[in-house]
Amino acid sequence: MHAPVLRRAVGRRGAFLQPHPPRLAGLLPPARLAEPRPPARLALLRPPARWAALLPVLLATAGLWPAAPARAVEERNPFHAVLPPTQPYDPNARLILDPRDGSVLQEMPDRITINFRRFEFGLDPSSLELWIDQQEFTEQLHFWTDQAWLDLQQQPAGAPQLKLGPGQHFILARIRDVAGSYWNSISSIALYPYPCPGGCPWPFAPTTQPNAVSNLMEDWQDFNGTPYFHSGVDIRVPAGTPVHSCTDGTVVKVDNYSGGSSLYWEVAVQDPVGYIWQYHHLEGASIAVSEGALVVQGQVLGNVVTWSTAMNGFTYNHMHLNVVRWFGPGAIPGPYVDGFEHYNPLRFLIKGTPDAVFPQQFNVWFADNESNSPFAADSDAGDPTLDGHVDVIAKLRDRRDVLSPANGQPYELGIYKLAWQAEPIDTPCGVGSVPRTTLATFNSMPGGTVVADQEAILLKIYKQFLNTGGSFTASKYDYTTQQYFYTLTNTHNGVPDDVGGFWETNRTTALGGYYPDGLYALTLYARDYYGNETATTTNVRLNNRLGYSGICADIVLGPAWVNPMDLVTTTGEVAEFLPPFVPVTFGPMHEGSAHAVVGFQGWPVWNFDLPNRQIRVAVGLLQGHVADVEFVPLLGDVIMDIDAEVQVMPLGPAQTGQVAFSPFVPSSNPARLRLSTRLARDPWTGQALVGRPARLGEVTHDMVLTKQINVLNEAMLLRSVGPGGGCIVWRLSTTATPGASPTPVARPTIALSAYPNPFNPRVTVKVDLGSAAIVAVDVLDARGRRVRQLHSGRLPAGASELTWDGRDALGRPQAAGVYFVRVSGENGLDAVQKVAMVK
């Protein structure tokens, strides 16, 4: 048994020393992570009692738990006059997980992200581990500088698959620093079912159709005071309209939450899943239910009150709907106090017919970090030149129409998700990309259950003041003005952050310029609730006087092994083999890495002779199978993913007449081999093995391979040897110099079409590329979720045809409706084609 060692356990709001669990000391997930089980359905209504008891104590200690309930109205912000100075993450945390600890989700997340703050704390990314519900997913991680992520929408075939169902799930990330100490971060997330399969009815007749909405959960509210988030949706109807309950449930609150004003009566109904539906602005005398009463879906709760103010020329009669959960202590209180987690009501309601109107982008400005005066805009002549800590600010909005019969009010779908990325066009070696980075997803109220945190994050997502062309403008929502400016780059270690959030264009690392001088394609993404996404690309030029001084993928010829591989039997017999040099041809850089794909004719067979058994064990590639070599110049990382086959043959005398490996037979003994500079695990002992990426100017890497393979029904160990792994040397071209600029990459051209359209049951997608490119071809549903991936990898120049059979990745038939085929790839390649399935 391992002796306990001290670790620093980093929580959401603090750090403390505690004994390291023995199993975790052995590099396996702690046994206690296996103990919790998904609670019973009704138990999901409330967090564990120990959380509820600790929450007010922790918040009071931090000065964030109010002595008396704070109340809110839409015309003013009553919460806090001064924002707290604390960050929304623990400044001592080495690892920050997303989803964050305590997250409540309604569906499996698209990805799990680990921000490991490498440059702030000297961490060793090669030792990063990821465990989810006691299953390891380390090998599936994607890396970029100080971020790693597990893509749950596109998990590689043959690797452990992760499907998170309802209940509680535990995520454990672990990494080593330069001093050899390990840092852990544990996140507990809960997946709750939706209260109404297929969507809940709307609160106004006809309840099967969406009503007109004017003000959304994420909208900026500023009624001549401190700005704050609108916490739900405003649904516009004439005064006196009956309000129907969207769900079955229990009435948990009937109260007036604003000093007796007739405008602020609410009825709150808790549904069987635990969500609390707060119906605000009811006429007090019309309320037809009392606290403790059971209601059924569609039951009338009361009528909408007559509002006292006009918006856009029409009286603003409306009902405000919140969907919340209560995580505070005691009985459920009135609204707008610390302890409520707010969720976007549009996630739960019937969506109706999806629109095809894409969000609008009006302009993009570039400013120094937290400056209110931009130094350039995308409307300026030529490509904007950027230098230093840059904020990218965009004015965005979605569809705005005038609909009857609710007095001509605006109907707005709003922005649901905001993200940005940068792809180099003509930088040295093609390095300098920024992966797609999300600023905000408005599926719940940013900031969690603490009102002050909600306000703090509001001011990091929205730009409050901006001097555009000599006059100050700003994000604003009141009865006459609705406009939104977002600082897309305000993300730091996975959370919105103003002071620490920016595009650090002048960053340097051990390998030279983090973002070297050159032309970049900067893309901003804005998605609405129906999955319509606007991707607007602006070319910008970085001029920091920084050059890249690492090893370029375009001058790497291939790996040469310094140490042999060996094959070890259970009886201790060892066979060695020194693989020969493998020439490779890397494709262009994409998201910071380059790939070389080697087929069965180019990848050598590894032969291990076992004289005592008179057999030769051959490890090679079958026809149609490949070895994928990934090279990340900026990190110095190498990963070889080999789709190998093991064949056994008699050992001929003096190697005469030896039977050779055959690549043309059916697969009978596959072996997926992963030779990596990153963490790998001994399959027999569980010991963690960490390689070493190349340092600046080096061409040597410590590669790790320890895999169990089957030889005539016997488990044998195939491994690399040498200090830290099997050392390899990259051979470089003698005609090029590391850091030399390659020929600028031309922007790719693409034509995308589909036929027949509408279709049933199959549609053929035609992708016509002006030049060969690495692309992903995805089918998205009307909400923007991936249904099926049709292709991932290189497509040749010219026309390629792919077929979708109307099924998802699990082979399940999909419903009739509108879908989108999206092609995305290197150098800013992006195209979307709408298709319709009819039945």
Side-chain angles (χ1 to χ4, degrees), residues 94-155:
R94 263 58 171 175
L95 294 120
I96 300 171
L97 284 167
D98 185 21
R100 294 172 187 84
D101 188 44
S103 292
V104 176
L105 310 173
Q106 276 66 50
E107 60 269 323
M108 188 173 76
D110 290 341
R111 61 170 51 179
I112 293 173
T113 303
I114 309 166
N115 294 276
F116 47 84
R117 305 178 76 182
R118 173 191 186 193
F119 298 104
E120 296 180 41
F121 293 102
L123 297 173
D124 181 4
S126 295
S127 68
L128 182 65
E129 305 173 31
L130 177 65
W131 300 82
I132 303 170
D133 294 340
Q134 285 203 298
Q135 186 174 8
E136 187 172 16
F137 292 88
T138 299
E139 288 192 356
Q140 298 184 43
L141 286 173
H142 302 271
F143 281 74
W144 176 243
T145 60
D146 52 1
Q147 181 184 112
W149 64 92
L150 174 67
D151 189 343
L152 299 180
Q153 295 295 309
Q154 187 179 352
Q155 300 180 59

Side-chain angles (χ1 to χ4, degrees), residues 31 107 114 119 121 248 278 294 362 398 407 422 458 519 530 697 815:
E107 60 269 323
I114 309 166
F119 298 104
F121 293 102
D248 298 338
Q278 297 173 337
L294 299 178
F362 295 94
D398 197 26
N407 301 324
L458 161 72
L519 192 65
Y530 285 126

Side-chain angles (χ1 to χ4, degrees), residues 475-598:
S475 294
K476 181 85 170 174
Y477 193 110
D478 59 20
Y479 286 126
T480 59
T481 305
Q482 295 87 43
Q483 62 186 21
Y484 308 104
F485 294 76
Y486 302 93
T487 307
L488 274 297
T489 49
N490 262 6
T491 51
H492 183 217
N493 300 120
V495 296
D497 190 313
D498 48 3
V499 178
F502 44 78
W503 185 12
E504 194 170 2
T505 69
N506 60 352
R507 188 77 169 264
T508 61
T509 68
L511 289 176
Y514 194 23
Y515 300 108
D517 288 351
L519 192 65
Y520 291 75
L522 181 70
T523 304
L524 308 183
Y525 299 93
R527 179 181 296 181
D528 68 18
Y529 293 100
Y530 285 126
N532 302 310
E533 184 174 86
T534 296
T536 306
T537 300
T538 301
N539 284 356
V540 298
R541 185 168 294 280
L542 299 192
N543 184 24
N544 296 306
R545 298 157 297 281
L546 294 176
Y548 177 65
S549 58
I551 303 170
C552 297
D554 58 328
I555 62 173
V556 173
L557 300 181
W561 272 258
V562 176
N563 302 108
M565 299 285 178
D566 63 15
L567 182 66
V568 184
T569 72
T570 55
T571 60
E573 186 176 0
V574 179
E576 292 187 343
F577 177 77
L578 183 64
F581 170 76
V582 180
V584 298
T585 301
F586 284 101
M589 297 289 297
H590 179 55
E591 292 189 346
S593 66
H595 286 261
V597 179
V598 185

Side-chain angles (χ1 to χ4, degrees), residues 338-358:
D338 287 347
F340 278 118
E341 179 89 54
H342 288 255
Y343 306 101
N344 197 323
L346 294 185
R347 302 173 67 191
F348 304 98
L349 297 171
I350 294 171
K351 293 296 187 292
T353 302
D355 75 35
V357 179
F358 285 70

Side-chain angles (χ1 to χ4, degrees), residues 85-281:
T86 57
Q87 299 288 354
Y89 57 84
D90 188 328
N92 292 319
R94 263 58 171 175
L95 294 120
I96 300 171
L97 284 167
D98 185 21
R100 294 172 187 84
D101 188 44
S103 292
V104 176
L105 310 173
Q106 276 66 50
E107 60 269 323
M108 188 173 76
D110 290 341
R111 61 170 51 179
I112 293 173
T113 303
I114 309 166
N115 294 276
F116 47 84
R117 305 178 76 182
R118 173 191 186 193
F119 298 104
E120 296 180 41
F121 293 102
L123 297 173
D124 181 4
S126 295
S127 68
L128 182 65
E129 305 173 31
L130 177 65
W131 300 82
I132 303 170
D133 294 340
Q134 285 203 298
Q135 186 174 8
E136 187 172 16
F137 292 88
T138 299
E139 288 192 356
Q140 298 184 43
L141 286 173
H142 302 271
F143 281 74
W144 176 243
T145 60
D146 52 1
Q147 181 184 112
W149 64 92
L150 174 67
D151 189 343
L152 299 180
Q153 295 295 309
Q154 187 179 352
Q155 300 180 59
Q161 300 294 296
L162 179 63
K163 300 295 181 184
L164 299 180
Q168 199 167 23
H169 302 275
F170 294 90
I171 305 170
L172 166 65
R174 165 184 164 93
I175 197 171
R176 188 175 65 181
D177 63 19
V178 292
S181 301
Y182 277 90
W183 291 80
N184 308 316
S185 182
I186 299 175
S187 179
S188 172
I189 63 174
L191 265 66
Y192 289 90
Y194 279 95
C196 311
C200 296
W202 283 70
F204 300 108
T207 59
T208 57
Q209 296 296 324
N211 300 121
V213 176
S214 65
N215 194 3
L216 302 173
M217 185 204 74
E218 71 273 16
D219 281 349
W220 173 284
Q221 297 267 258
D222 184 3
F223 291 90
N224 299 316
T226 304
Y228 60 98
F229 271 121
H230 190 244
S231 59
V233 294
D234 284 352
I235 304 175
R236 296 293 300 276
V237 291
T241 302
V243 178
H244 301 262
S245 178
C246 299
T247 66
D248 298 338
T250 303
V251 178
V252 293
K253 206 72 181 176
V254 176
D255 70 328
N256 184 295
Y257 56 89
S258 184
S261 169
S262 62
L263 300 180
Y264 297 102
W265 280 95
E266 73 148 343
V267 172
V269 177
Q270 187 171 39
D271 66 32
V273 182
Y275 296 100
I276 303 165
W277 297 67
Q278 297 173 337
Y279 305 86
H280 291 189
H281 312 320

Side-chain angles (χ1 to χ4, degrees), residues 335 399 482 558 563 583 658 683-684 702 786 825:
R399 185 180 79 178
Q482 295 87 43
N563 302 108
Q658 175 69 53
W684 288 355
D702 286 339
R786 182 186 284 118

